[in-house]
Amino acid sequence: MRLEDLLTQAQTVEITVEGKTEEIDVEGIGAGDIAGLLVRFPALQAAASGEEVDLISLLTGVASEALPIVISMGCGMPGKKGEAKARKLGASNQVKVIRKIAELTFPEGLEAFVAEIEALAPEALEQTMAPGSFAIAQPEVPEVMPVS
């Protein structure tokens, strides 16, 4: 099978909208998008690294922002418009969609994914998965010389 054949194979999830069963196309998200989410939401980074995380705090804090982003990416509609639509899904539907996105993103499970990354670059993983280790590099600002 070729890569182009794989990229067209979305799966569907049944959700209930206004009392009707509907199907929505879902696909996995890529490593670059995952990295972006970890940078944007360090609490997800902590959860992924196996740290003990307060589930209620995670769900009411980060998840309320991150879930619509993940859903919009996994449904092929990234961006503000897709995020707005994802927010309108009921909680049960959001969970169904997220579960399928996770299944497609990590077909062998999250632990296997982390192990693969760790095998590629163990030192880099230790640095990036450490709490607070993602920092946005600040551009160097040249000193301004006073005008005499």
Side-chain angles (χ1 to χ4, degrees), residues 1 4 10 13 15-16 30 38 48 50-51 63 66 75-76 79 90 93 102 107 116 121 130 133 135-136 138 142 144:
M1 186 173 278
E4 70 182 57
V13 174
I15 60 173
T16 304
L38 294 176
E51 282 184 37
C75 291
N93 287 332
E116 289 289 330
S133 62
I136 305 297
Q138 298 297 317
V144 177

Side-chain angles (χ1 to χ4, degrees), residues 13-142:
V13 174
E14 284 189 357
I15 60 173
T16 304
V17 179
E18 298 178 358
K20 296 179 191 173
T21 300
E22 302 285 345
E23 288 189 345
I24 185 170
D25 289 338
V26 177
E27 54 195 33
I29 60 175
D33 289 329
I34 293 168
L37 288 167
L38 294 176
V39 169
R40 186 167 173 188
F41 302 105
L44 291 179
Q45 183 186 142
S49 68
E51 282 184 37
E52 211 170 292
V53 177
D54 177 25
L55 183 60
I56 299 300
S57 296
L58 185 67
L59 289 175
T60 58
V62 171
S64 64
E65 285 185 60
L67 285 179
I69 295 169
V70 172
I71 291 170
S72 69
M73 288 177 184
C75 291
M77 196 176 183
K80 299 293 181 195
K81 187 175 179 181
E83 292 169 28
K85 289 188 179 288
R87 278 188 185 85
K88 290 181 181 179
L89 291 173
S92 178
N93 287 332
Q94 287 178 332
V95 170
K96 289 176 187 176
V97 173
I98 285 288
R99 180 179 291 146
K100 182 55 86 172
I101 292 169
E103 182 183 306
L104 296 171
T105 301
F106 308 110
E108 296 168 2
L110 181 60
E111 288 180 11
F113 173 76
V114 172
E116 289 289 330
I117 297 296
E118 197 170 50
L120 287 173
E123 299 83 22
L125 185 66
E126 284 177 23
Q127 291 174 351
T128 59
M129 294 304 276
S133 62
F134 280 115
I136 305 297
Q138 298 297 317
E140 289 187 35
V141 178

